[in-house]
């Protein structure tokens, strides 16, 4: 289909082609082969939607959640867009819903959970929903106002009743003194009668109120008070306040005006109290009747309000979801532009090619829902803009993908590290956290979160920290499982060992030596070792060896270097996948080859020497210090002649010969010195090759392209001459056909080239960063050794300092002490060794992936694919 003229001008440097369903099904098949390997293919689709079907189409797209719309009205003010009035209507309905929800929560009415989310209402239902919400809000407001008015009147009557009762008690006491049943303050002897004011005040305000009355009246104001035992509800706030009924007696109009001003300042509720006892009794009878009538009306009003709120609560969640969807739809419609003929709404959106059939179905379903006979359709726009990155995940892979996305979003179609992180992340964590007992605790914690995930997903009050753990439940599960494996290899369970297959060490004496003060022994392979090694992992006898730390220190340090080198080599090899996919075949020779050679000749060779040391030198004899000269004993490859691999590596870098004593040899194998010098020479050659290879190749490539462009200009000039002749001889139709290739060539004009100076600078930075990082990154993997050793020692210290003391006690005290000390030991085990040490190992593992592993092949210069989805709109932000 040919675009309108204004749309063709808007999408310069783009080619619009019609959508093909066959391509979508092919792309969907490719997704089934696995999209976690790299981000999915994206297409920029141009949607032509009928105005009457726009609401239904966007609603269907919101349900599928596979389209990321672009704003085509960026220059238009938000308040000047087409659907701004509909958005305001939705906001007004949201205000009504918030008020209704507030009233429902105030009365503690139960709101049932939704079994399934309702669909967005159609435009006809919106009018009915808006009218129903308006009527419901008006009814609740009217009932709330009536309830507040009735409660206020009831409080006034109750307060007046208490004041009259307290006044009646006071006057009754005076009647007992004067023996006059008709006594009143007017009977006071003197020229000026005794006046009084009666009222009710909050209990917390009464003390300062009484103090001010005393100071203002200079002791001439007498206050009689009594607490009201019945707590009264505030009609506005709903809080219950304790009140105090009082009577202030004074003499003279001057004091009367002062007392009334003070009462007004303290917001005192004044009550009229008759002077005669008969009037007070009649007033009390009248108040009692009014209180009974108001309570009856109030109970009926509150019952009606409660029934209304219970009815509303059943639909409140559905109404909230429907209004939220409506608002999201109209916000999305404001991103669309109107065609010149005003027959179409035009939108642009990024769509995964595997989901293109869903977009087509949404366009068709939208037209059917509104009853339109004119179909909506889409075109695919070929553009040079970088599409967003979309990695399709499930609940298992989402946590690992979040670890990668927290660092940076992958570039479009770049290799996704999350696929390999599923295995490498829990394994590197387990190397540092290796303990069978602690790993079991972590595994059971993750397993419980996985088994209860459906129940926990429905809860909304779990807290921020728990939500983080719940989001990474599968990561915790695998970290615990891998930690159990490494704990089995380390033969470490709560700092103790398991003798499953029988130890291969023997002790030369049955009793302790005289100079020994404990039960620890030095293990010497040529003395205490029987022959065959332990079947799997570390021999349990090392738990009682005095030189256990020396053995584990050497073992775990070399193991961490081996794992780190293998991990980084794997990252360098993965860069070839990106080069092949992006068709940068020259980078295989100019980037990958010097990098892998430099790394192999330096650090892989270091690992090879570690394995050579393990295989060539044995601890079953002492080498130079061994007095056994029987045939078959190789004194050169004994334990005393075993070289330090680190010293060998340093001497290799400094071109220095190692020191050796008889009968030990200087080198591990013949011609080692020559081979090491050759390795250093080739590694040094890789540096300028990596530094200048890519810039020089780019220079040659640009020279060839400039030459080719010069030839094309000559050919274009010749073609233009032919076109001019055709214009003179042929009609306008032939002229348009001749100019069509020229316009296409103008649209395909490439962007400006990057200056060569910047290419040289980037190459220099890249080379320096890589060569220096090989040393620092290799040393960084020593954290595997450090944290593993620290975790094991801390676990052993906790056992020795806490739980072991409880096992030494005997009798009834020992039984009670074991329970108490076990609780303390278990608390510190979970709090320190599982949570704190686990968090520390997690952060170190995260750094090893972000810095040491991913920088070898991961660019991370993309941006996230954020589709329009009702699920995302309705979920709270994490």
């Amino acid at each position: 289909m040919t675009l309108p003229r204004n749309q063709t001008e808007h999408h310069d440097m783009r080619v619009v082609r019609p959508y093909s369903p066959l391509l979508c099904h092919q792309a969907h098949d490719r997704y089934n082969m696995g999209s976690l390997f790299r981000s999915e293919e994206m297409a920029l689709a141009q949607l032509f939607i009928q105005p009457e079907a726009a609401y239904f189409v966007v609603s269907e797209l919101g349900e599928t959640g596979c389209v990321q719309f672009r704003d085509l009205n960026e220059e238009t003010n938000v308040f000047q867009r087409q659907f701004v009035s509909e958005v305001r209507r939705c906001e007004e309905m949201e205000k009504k819903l918030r008020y209704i929800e507030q009233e429902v929560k105030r009365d503690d009415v139960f709101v049932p959970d939704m079994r399934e989310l309702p669909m967005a209402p159609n435009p006809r239902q919106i009018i009915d929903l808006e009218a129903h919400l308006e009527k419901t809000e008006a009814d609740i407001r009217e009932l709330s106002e009536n309830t507040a008015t009735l409660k206020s009147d009831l409080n006034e009557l109750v307060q007046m009743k208490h004041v009259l009762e307290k006044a009646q008690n006071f006057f009754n006491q005076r009647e007992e003194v004067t023996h006059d049943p008709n006594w009143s303050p007017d009977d006071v002897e003197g020229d000026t009668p005794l006046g009084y004011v009666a009222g009710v005040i909050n209990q917390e305000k009464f003390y300062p109120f009484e103090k001010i009355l005393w100071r203002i009246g200079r002791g001439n104001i007498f206050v009689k008070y009594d607490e009201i035992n019945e707590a009264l509800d505030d009609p506005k706030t709903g809080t219950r306040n304790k009140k105090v009924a009082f009577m202030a007696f004074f003499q003279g109009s001057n004091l009367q005006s002062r007392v009334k001003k003070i009462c007004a300042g303290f917001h005192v509720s004044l009550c009229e109290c008759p002077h005669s006892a008969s009037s007070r009794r009649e007033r009390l009878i009248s108040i009692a009747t009014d209180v009974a009538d108001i309570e009856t009306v109030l109970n009926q009003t509150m019952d009606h309000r409660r029934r209304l709120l219970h009815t509303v609560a059943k639909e409140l969640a559905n109404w909230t979801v429907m209004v939220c969807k409506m608002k999201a739809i109209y916000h999305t419609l404001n991103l669309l532009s109107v065609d010149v003929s005003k027959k179409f709404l035009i939108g642009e959106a990024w769509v995964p090619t595997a989901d293109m059939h869903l977009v087509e179905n949404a366009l068709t379903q939208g037209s059917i829902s509104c009853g339109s006979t004119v179909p909506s359709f889409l075109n695919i726009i070929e553009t040079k803009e970088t599409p967003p990155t979309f990695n399709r995940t499930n609940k298992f892979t989402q946590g690992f993908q979040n670890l990668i996305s927290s660092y940076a979003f992958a570039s479009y179609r770049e290799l996704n590290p999350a696929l390999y992180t599923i295995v490498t992340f829990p394994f590197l964590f387990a190397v540092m956290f290796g303990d069978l007992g602690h790993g079991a605790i972590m595994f059971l914690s993750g397993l419980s979160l996985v088994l209860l995930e459906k129940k926990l997903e429905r809860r909304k009050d779990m807290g921020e920290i728990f939500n983080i753990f719940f989001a990474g439940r599968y990561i915790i599960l695998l970290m615990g499982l891998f930690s159990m494996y490494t704990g089995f290899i380390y033969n470490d369970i709560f700092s103790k060992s398991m003798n499953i297959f029988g130890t291969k060490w023997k002790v030369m004496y049955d009793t302790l030596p005289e100079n020994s003060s404990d039960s620890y022994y030095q293990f010497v392979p040529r003395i205490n070792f029987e022959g065959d090694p332990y079947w799997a992992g570390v021999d349990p006898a090392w738990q009682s060896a005095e030189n256990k730390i020396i053995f584990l220190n050497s073992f775990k340090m070399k193991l961490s270097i081996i794992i780190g080198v293998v991990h980084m080599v794997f990252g360098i090899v993965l860069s070839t996948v990106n080069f092949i996919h992006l068709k940068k075949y020259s980078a295989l020779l100019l980037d990958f080859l010097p990098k892998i050679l430099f790394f192999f000749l330096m650090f892989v060779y270091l690992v090879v020497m570690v394995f050579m040391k393990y295989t060539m030198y044995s601890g079953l004899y002492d080498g130079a210090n061994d007095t056994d000269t029987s045939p078959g004993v190789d004194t050169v490859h004994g334990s005393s002649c075993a070289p330090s691999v680190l010293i060998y590596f340093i001497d290799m870098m400094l071109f220095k010969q190692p020191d050796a004593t008889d009968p030990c040899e200087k080198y591990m194998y013949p011609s080692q010195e020559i081979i090491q010098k050759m390795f250093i020479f080739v590694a040094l050659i890789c540096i300028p090759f990596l530094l200048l290879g890519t810039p020089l190749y780019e220079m040659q490539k640009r020279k060839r392209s400039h030459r080719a462009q010069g030839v094309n200009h000559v050919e274009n000039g010749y073609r233009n001459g032919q076109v001019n002749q055709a214009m003179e001889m042929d009609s306008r139709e032939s002229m348009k056909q001749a100019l069509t290739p020229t316009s296409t060539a103008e649209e395909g004009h490439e962007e400006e080239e990057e200056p060569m100076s910047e290419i040289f600078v980037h190459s220099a930075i890249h080379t320096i960063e890589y060569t220096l990082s090989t040393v620092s990154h290799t040393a960084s993997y020593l954290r595997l050794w450090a944290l593993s050793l620290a975790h094991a020692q801390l676990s052993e210290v906790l056992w020795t300092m806490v739980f072991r003391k409880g096992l030494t006690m005997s009798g009834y005290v020992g039984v009670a002490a074991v329970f108490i000390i076990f609780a303390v030991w278990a608390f510190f085990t979970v709090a320190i060794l599982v949570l704190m040490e686990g968090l520390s190992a997690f952060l170190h593992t995260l750094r090893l992936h972000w810095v040491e592993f991913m920088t070898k092949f991961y660019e991370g210069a993309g941006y996230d694919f954020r589709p329009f989805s009702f699920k995302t709109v309705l979920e709270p932000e994490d």
Side-chain angles (χ1 to χ4, degrees):
M1 178 180 176
T2 305
L3 288 174
R5 180 174 180 82
N6 68 321
Q7 294 300 323
T8 306
E9 295 175 353
H10 180 71
H11 300 294
D12 55 342
M13 298 177 62
R14 302 178 184 177
V15 178
V16 180
R17 58 181 173 87
Y19 161 69
S20 174
L22 179 61
L23 295 177
C24 290
H25 293 302
Q26 293 175 353
H28 188 65
D29 292 338
R30 286 197 298 271
Y31 158 67
N32 291 334
M33 295 175 62
S35 64
L36 194 63
F37 181 71
R38 65 173 74 254
S39 60
E40 292 198 17
E41 292 184 2
M42 306 293 292
L44 183 59
Q46 191 175 39
L47 308 178
F48 291 84
I49 308 174
Q50 291 293 323
E52 60 271 14
Y55 180 90
F56 299 95
V57 170
V58 175
S59 176
E60 291 292 334
L61 293 176
E63 296 292 342
T64 58
C66 62
V67 174
Q68 178 178 338
F69 285 96
R70 303 175 61 186
D71 191 0
L72 301 182
N73 303 312
E74 293 180 349
E75 298 179 357
T76 305
N77 193 344
V78 177
F79 302 101
Q80 296 176 351
R81 301 200 178 189
Q82 184 176 2
F83 298 95
V84 64
S85 58
E86 286 79 1
V87 174
R88 289 177 178 174
R89 288 174 59 189
C90 294
E91 291 177 350
E92 290 296 327
M93 285 189 282
E94 282 184 340
K95 291 181 180 178
K96 294 180 175 63
L97 286 173
R98 284 195 295 268
Y99 171 75
I100 295 173
E101 184 180 4
Q102 180 181 358
E103 294 299 318
V104 168
K105 290 182 178 180
R106 179 180 295 180
D107 285 18
D108 294 330
V109 178
F110 174 73
V111 179
D113 295 332
M114 291 181 296
R115 295 183 178 180
E116 59 181 14
L117 295 178
M119 299 290 293
N122 57 45
R124 297 177 181 176
Q125 293 175 340
I126 294 176
I127 300 175
D128 298 336
L129 178 60
E130 186 178 14
H132 187 62
L133 289 178
E134 186 174 358
K135 182 179 183 302
T136 303
E137 184 204 20
D139 292 343
I140 295 177
R141 284 189 181 276
E142 182 180 1
L143 290 173
S144 300
E145 292 175 358
N146 293 338
T147 302
T149 303
L150 291 173
K151 285 185 177 181
S152 179
D153 296 340
L154 181 62
N155 288 343
E156 291 181 0
L157 292 176
V158 171
Q159 292 175 7
M160 185 175 295
K161 183 186 70 172
H162 284 287
V163 169
L164 293 175
E165 290 177 351
K166 303 301 179 185
Q168 188 71 13
N169 294 334
F170 174 74
F171 289 136
N172 289 338
Q173 295 175 1
R174 185 60 183 172
E175 290 173 2
E176 294 177 359
V177 176
T178 58
H179 302 285
D180 185 3
N182 296 321
W183 182 90
S184 68
D186 295 337
D187 300 335
V188 177
E189 298 179 357
D191 298 334
T192 306
L194 186 64
Y196 64 92
V197 171
V200 177
I201 189 173
N202 290 338
Q203 189 176 15
E204 61 271 11
K205 294 182 180 180
F206 178 73
Y207 177 73
F209 172 73
E210 184 183 20
K211 193 172 183 180
I212 289 179
L213 288 178
W214 176 265
R215 292 182 177 180
I216 293 298
R218 297 180 181 180
N220 295 321
I221 299 177
F222 174 72
V223 179
K224 183 70 174 179
Y225 70 94
D226 195 1
E227 294 182 2
I228 300 176
N229 297 326
E230 181 182 357
L232 302 178
D233 294 336
D234 191 345
K236 296 181 179 179
T237 62
T239 58
R240 301 179 67 87
N241 299 320
K242 295 288 289 184
K243 300 284 187 176
V244 174
F246 71 93
M247 293 186 69
F249 295 92
F250 47 83
Q251 195 171 23
S253 59
N254 190 15
L255 286 179
Q256 181 180 6
S257 61
R258 292 183 181 181
V259 169
K260 289 185 177 180
K261 288 181 180 180
I262 295 172
C263 292
F266 278 88
H267 302 285
V268 174
S269 299
L270 297 178
C271 303
E272 295 183 1
C273 184
H275 292 277
S276 63
S278 59
S279 300
R280 289 194 295 271
R281 284 191 294 268
E282 292 177 359
R283 184 60 175 161
L284 282 173
I285 295 173
S286 176
I287 289 175
T289 304
D290 294 341
V291 167
D293 295 339
I294 291 179
E295 286 180 347
T296 302
V297 177
L298 180 61
N299 291 332
Q300 294 176 355
T301 304
M302 293 183 67
D303 289 339
H304 181 53
R305 169 189 163 88
R306 194 176 296 108
R307 287 194 299 269
L308 178 61
L309 292 179
H310 276 284
T311 304
V312 169
K314 297 178 182 178
E315 299 293 334
L316 181 60
N318 291 333
W319 291 344
T320 304
V321 172
M322 292 168 66
V323 173
C324 187
K325 287 185 175 181
M326 289 160 45
K327 185 178 179 182
I329 291 172
Y330 286 120
H331 269 300
T332 304
L333 289 175
N334 279 330
L335 304 179
L336 309 183
S337 63
V338 183
D339 184 24
V340 176
S341 61
K342 296 184 179 180
K343 295 181 179 180
F344 286 99
L345 287 178
I346 303 176
E348 290 183 5
W350 292 108
V351 184
T353 55
D355 294 337
M356 200 68 72
H357 66 285
L358 298 177
V359 181
E360 186 186 38
N361 294 336
L363 294 174
T364 304
Q365 188 65 32
S367 300
I368 295 174
S369 299
C370 70
S372 175
T373 57
V374 181
S376 302
F377 58 93
L378 63 90
N379 288 329
I380 303 300
I381 303 176
E382 294 182 356
T383 177
K384 293 184 178 180
E385 298 182 27
T386 303
T389 301
F390 176 48
N391 295 107
R392 202 183 301 267
T393 58
N394 52 33
K395 60 183 180 181
F396 174 73
T397 59
Q398 181 62 44
F400 296 96
Q401 187 64 53
N402 289 339
L403 293 180
I404 305 302
S405 301
S406 299
Y407 176 74
F409 291 106
S411 302
Y412 178 63
R413 300 293 290 166
E414 186 181 15
L415 189 69
N416 185 18
L419 178 63
Y420 314 101
T421 306
I422 295 175
V423 177
T424 59
F425 190 91
F427 176 73
L428 291 181
F429 172 87
V431 172
M432 293 182 278
F433 194 74
D435 189 290
L436 186 58
H438 300 155
I441 295 175
M442 185 172 292
F443 173 77
L444 293 176
S445 300
L447 183 63
S448 61
L449 292 176
V450 171
L451 296 178
L452 299 175
E453 62 180 8
K454 292 184 179 180
K455 183 184 295 184
L456 295 174
E457 282 176 351
R458 293 192 294 265
R459 297 185 57 183
K460 300 179 180 180
D461 55 345
M462 294 187 296
E464 183 178 358
I465 296 178
F466 187 83
N467 285 332
I468 295 174
F469 284 101
F470 181 73
R473 56 192 179 278
Y474 289 98
I475 302 176
I476 297 174
L477 180 70
L478 287 184
M479 289 193 305
L481 185 62
F482 277 69
S483 298
M484 292 173 65
Y485 165 74
T486 54
F488 176 77
I489 296 299
Y490 293 158
N491 203 348
D492 194 356
I493 174 171
F494 297 120
S495 76
K496 312 305 291 182
S497 59
M498 301 176 294
N499 191 359
I500 301 176
F501 307 104
T503 180
K504 301 301 181 180
W505 294 89
K506 63 181 179 179
V507 181
M508 300 300 297
Y509 37 82
D510 297 331
T511 59
L512 294 177
E514 296 180 357
N515 57 352
S516 177
S517 59
D518 51 27
S519 59
Y520 288 89
Y521 309 95
Q522 284 278 354
F523 276 5
V524 182
R526 66 190 183 92
I527 300 175
N528 302 104
F529 193 62
E530 291 184 343
D532 296 333
Y534 193 68
W535 189 79
V538 178
D539 195 296
W542 282 108
Q543 185 69 28
S544 301
E546 187 177 356
N547 55 340
K548 178 183 70 170
I549 298 297
I550 300 175
F551 163 72
L552 293 178
N553 186 44
S554 176
F555 168 71
K556 293 185 177 181
M557 180 176 65
K558 292 179 176 62
L559 184 65
S560 64
I561 293 296
I562 294 171
I563 293 175
V565 170
V566 172
H567 197 210
M568 288 188 288
V569 168
F570 180 60
I572 297 173
V573 173
L574 286 179
S575 63
T576 59
V577 180
N578 287 330
F579 294 149
I580 294 173
H581 175 74
L582 299 176
K583 298 181 180 180
K584 296 181 178 179
Y585 301 110
S586 61
L588 294 174
L589 178 64
L590 302 176
D591 189 85
F592 168 71
L593 184 60
K595 282 183 178 180
I596 199 69
L597 275 177
F598 183 84
F599 200 83
F600 259 84
L601 297 177
M602 300 290 292
F603 298 99
V604 176
Y605 176 67
L606 176 65
V607 174
V608 171
M609 285 195 295
V610 171
F611 282 103
M612 290 177 64
K613 179 180 177 180
Y614 278 143
T615 56
M616 295 175 60
Y617 298 89
S618 175
L620 296 177
Y621 42 86
D622 198 15
N625 300 324
D626 202 336
T627 58
D628 187 3
T629 59
S630 59
V633 176
D634 188 0
T635 59
V636 177
H637 295 92
S639 59
S640 297
C641 291
S644 173
V645 177
L646 182 59
I647 298 300
Y648 262 135
F649 185 75
I650 295 174
D651 292 341
M652 168 184 161
M653 300 299 298
L654 300 177
F655 296 97
K656 180 182 177 182
Q657 292 186 354
D659 298 330
T661 59
D662 292 334
C664 301
E665 296 180 352
K666 290 184 178 181
Y667 293 101
M668 300 172 65
Y669 59 91
S671 304
Q672 181 178 356
E673 182 180 7
I674 299 174
I675 293 176
Q676 290 182 165
K677 289 182 180 180
M678 184 177 63
F679 284 175
I680 295 295
F681 179 73
V682 177
L684 292 176
I685 292 178
C686 292
I687 296 177
F689 194 77
L690 182 63
L691 175 64
L692 302 175
T694 302
L696 294 178
Y697 173 78
E698 186 67 24
M699 289 179 63
Q700 294 297 325
K701 184 179 177 181
R702 291 186 179 184
K703 287 181 181 180
R704 290 195 300 268
S705 65
H706 291 329
R707 292 172 186 172
Q709 287 179 3
V711 175
N712 291 334
H713 285 313
V714 175
E715 293 179 355
N716 290 334
Y718 177 72
R719 287 180 183 174
N720 291 333
Q722 290 182 341
V723 171
N724 292 332
Q725 293 178 2
M727 290 171 61
E728 295 175 357
M729 297 173 62
D730 298 336
S731 63
R732 292 182 179 179
E733 294 293 332
S734 61
M735 179 188 67
K736 292 181 179 180
Q737 294 177 0
L739 290 177
T740 301
T742 306
S743 62
T744 305
E746 291 177 357
E747 290 180 357
H749 180 68
E750 296 182 356
E751 299 179 357
E752 295 183 0
E753 296 178 345
E754 185 180 5
M756 285 302 304
S757 59
E758 294 186 6
I759 295 179
F760 274 101
V761 171
H762 293 166
S763 180
I765 295 174
H766 180 67
T767 303
I768 295 172
E769 181 183 7
Y770 177 77
T771 53
L772 294 180
S773 65
T774 52
V775 180
S776 63
H777 289 181
T778 305
S780 183
Y781 277 91
L782 291 175
R783 67 186 69 235
L784 299 174
W785 153 59
L787 266 74
S788 176
L789 203 62
H791 182 80
Q793 291 302 308
L794 187 60
S795 179
E796 185 175 355
V797 168
L798 185 62
W799 175 276
T800 305
M801 299 297 294
V802 178
F803 200 28
R804 188 178 178 184
K805 293 183 178 180
L807 298 177
T808 58
M809 301 181 183
S810 61
Y812 296 105
V813 178
V815 174
V818 166
F819 280 96
I820 297 174
I821 296 177
F822 173 78
V824 176
W825 173 81
F827 171 78
F828 284 109
T829 297
V830 174
I832 297 178
L833 295 178
V834 177
L835 291 179
M836 295 180 61
E837 283 283 322
L839 180 60
S840 175
F842 177 87
L843 296 177
H844 283 285
T845 308
L846 198 61
R847 182 242 154 78
L848 289 177
H849 279 78
W850 283 357
V851 180
E852 279 73 24
F853 174 63
M854 289 166 49
T855 53
K856 303 296 185 297
F857 66 94
Y858 188 66
E859 184 180 6
Y863 62 99
D864 190 21
F865 175 65
R866 299 182 179 275
F868 168 64
S869 173
F870 289 142
K871 183 179 179 181
T872 306
V873 172
L874 296 174
E875 287 180 354
E877 295 183 359
D878 292 338

